[in-house]
Amino acid sequence: MNRIPGELLSSFFQALLPIPPRDFSPLPPGADRPKAIQSLRLVSKLWNEAVLETPVVWSYIELSANDAELLRAHQSLKRSKAAPLHIRMRFHSTDLQSREVRKAIEALWSEAYRWSTYIITAFLPVEAIRQQGWFKLVPPVPLPNLREAWIMGSECSSFIGELNAPRISILVELGVLTKIRLTSLPDLLSWKLEPPSRRMEWERLAPIVRASPKLAVLQFIKTPREDDTRDGEIAEIMRGVTFPSLMGLIVSPGRTSFGLLEKLRAPGLEILVIEEYLSDVRIPIPPIESCPSLKRIRFSNNPRLSAVRGGVSRMTAGELERLVVDIEIRSFSRNTARETPETREFQQDMKWLEETCLVNWIQV
């Protein structure tokens, strides 16, 4: 085993080590990269040296107030040399009061030009934000090589910061309105955010769309926030705004999301996804004049079939002729052995949909 060349060992390490998922969820046990690295180092002296001299092995850095993670962050930063970095941070309550936490964060910020992905979760009391005025959700420096950012926290503008990332392609925001330098978005392909619920949020969305000629997927994350926009405001703000590259739009039922559909201009839009459709509220299908490529509508994330039937019944004959209706159902739903009033209603809804429109059942 010790005869394997170091360069080949480095390739093995890259293939074998777990890559943490890119989302806000806690890391699963299988994604414990530090533990896997330690196991490789214990194989032999040669393997230990090869691990230490392979920068990409150390390029995934987790940071919290945990003492072990603080130590590993400094070690990984040094051992990763010039490799692109994948940063994940999570802070709560009084974490930022620690001097060691601040030192580690500022050390990572000093290497922000190497960041490729960035995921942060920071739910901090307003008082803690005021006391730790140095901290920003987005590093207060340019991120010239950042491709992907997941930002979740409390809406407090004093600690959000400005995102200056000219090469970013994927952006996810939850609980925050990131200040975005509009010259930073020529390569933005996917944007996931909470649906705008205030005029200022629509006024933020419109120029970002204009500055994102490659935006292909837009998803509004369902939240319980109240909608404070007045009738006509969405139409006024979005007038003249075109999504030139948008191919997929993902929304949940709501006045805000459906308000956008009524004014949407997206010549390349191919699929409209409605998540958690639980009541038969009318779905405003974008007209063919503004979305000529729209051919599919999908009901996903556990839709209620009776609600889907009601929603489809509200569509016009022209809309039904134009669209394929995809419906996600659980794998056991279609062939339920035991007959109950609920299963009979389910089967009746399925039959009605199959007779009314071109439906495609997707088992999940």
Side-chain angles (χ1 to χ4, degrees):
M1 188 176 293
N2 284 344
R3 295 178 182 176
I4 301 175
E7 297 81 5
L8 189 55
L9 275 178
S10 297
S11 299
F12 287 162
F13 299 155
Q14 294 181 51
L16 292 173
L17 286 171
I19 297 177
R22 294 177 181 174
D23 55 34
F24 294 121
S25 63
L27 293 180
D32 192 342
R33 191 177 176 92
K35 184 177 180 180
I37 292 174
Q38 186 63 18
S39 297
L40 292 175
R41 293 181 65 187
L42 293 173
V43 171
S44 69
K45 181 179 179 181
L46 176 63
W47 278 48
N48 179 55
E49 292 173 352
V51 168
L52 291 175
E53 293 302 318
T54 304
V56 71
V57 166
W58 306 96
S59 62
Y60 288 83
I61 300 178
E62 301 277 331
L63 184 63
S64 68
N66 179 279
D67 290 340
E69 288 191 357
L70 289 170
L71 176 61
R72 280 199 300 266
H74 290 288
Q75 292 175 339
S76 297
L77 202 57
K78 181 179 179 180
R79 292 170 180 168
S80 62
K81 299 180 180 179
L85 296 176
H86 308 276
I87 307 296
R88 181 190 289 261
M89 299 184 189
R90 58 193 186 285
F91 301 110
H92 301 276
S93 189
T94 59
D95 288 350
L96 298 181
Q97 294 179 7
S98 166
R99 293 181 62 184
E100 293 304 315
V101 168
R102 179 168 182 173
K103 285 172 60 178
I105 291 174
E106 291 179 341
L108 290 175
W109 283 355
S110 70
E111 299 288 322
Y113 64 91
R114 290 201 281 138
W115 292 16
S116 177
T117 61
Y118 175 48
I119 302 172
I120 184 165
T121 304
F123 287 106
L124 305 169
V126 174
E127 189 59 33
I129 294 171
R130 290 172 180 165
Q131 291 175 357
Q132 310 300 328
W134 60 271
F135 179 73
K136 304 292 181 186
L137 272 178
V138 177
V141 292
L143 299 160
N145 295 301
L146 189 71
R147 299 302 208 283
E148 187 170 340
W150 293 63
I151 304 168
M152 179 164 65
S154 308
E155 187 180 338
C156 183
S157 59
S158 63
F159 92 125
I160 293 176
E162 181 184 57
L163 180 65
N164 182 4
R167 304 178 72 181
I168 194 167
S169 59
I170 298 175
L171 176 61
V172 181
E173 303 171 292
L174 188 57
V176 297
L177 294 176
T178 311
K179 301 170 186 175
I180 299 176
R181 184 170 295 187
L182 294 183
T183 55
S184 296
L185 305 172
D187 295 322
L188 185 63
L189 301 175
S190 175
W191 186 17
K192 185 185 297 187
L193 71 159
E194 294 171 301
S197 61
R198 293 171 290 180
R199 183 184 180 94
M200 61 168 285
E201 295 173 11
W202 282 106
E203 291 176 339
R204 169 181 177 265
L205 182 139
I208 291 174
V209 170
R210 291 191 178 100
S212 307
K214 296 181 182 178
L215 183 63
V217 178
L218 178 65
Q219 179 174 356
F220 286 144
I221 306 168
K222 184 178 182 180
T223 62
R225 297 192 305 167
E226 293 185 4
D227 182 5
D228 294 331
T229 55
R230 297 193 303 272
D231 291 341
E233 278 190 327
I234 299 176
E236 173 192 344
I237 297 168
M238 298 302 292
R239 184 178 294 114
V241 177
T242 299
F243 295 75
S245 301
L246 192 68
M247 299 175 65
L249 178 61
I250 306 169
V251 301
S252 297
R255 179 171 172 266
T256 297
S257 301
F258 284 2
L260 174 62
L261 294 182
E262 293 175 340
K263 304 300 177 184
L264 186 66
R265 295 173 59 189
L269 183 68
E270 297 177 357
I271 182 168
L272 170 63
V273 180
I274 311 293
E275 294 190 316
E276 298 184 44
Y277 189 73
L278 304 178
S279 63
D280 61 354
V281 60
R282 187 185 74 83
I283 303 170
I285 304 297
I288 194 169
E289 294 79 14
S290 58
C291 297
S293 300
L294 182 60
K295 303 297 182 184
R296 310 187 80 89
I297 180 171
R298 174 174 295 184
F299 295 92
S300 73
N301 201 1
N302 199 26
R304 182 176 294 148
L305 198 60
S306 60
V308 173
R309 173 176 175 172
V312 169
S313 70
R314 293 169 178 262
M315 295 182 187
T316 67
E319 291 169 346
L320 291 175
E321 184 177 348
R322 170 189 173 196
L323 297 172
V324 174
V325 179
D326 296 334
I327 305 174
E328 293 182 3
I329 59 172
R330 297 187 184 278
S331 56
F332 60 81
S333 297
R334 181 155 195 162
N335 299 307
T336 305
R338 183 185 172 196
E339 185 173 299
T340 66
E342 291 77 16
T343 59
R344 281 196 296 272
E345 181 183 0
F346 187 89
Q347 295 293 337
Q348 290 170 1
D349 289 337
M350 290 187 72
K351 181 180 179 181
W352 183 91
L353 286 163
E354 290 173 343
E355 293 174 347
T356 304
C357 60
L358 183 57
V359 64
N360 179 35
W361 302 103
I362 301 174
Q363 294 195 351
V364 295

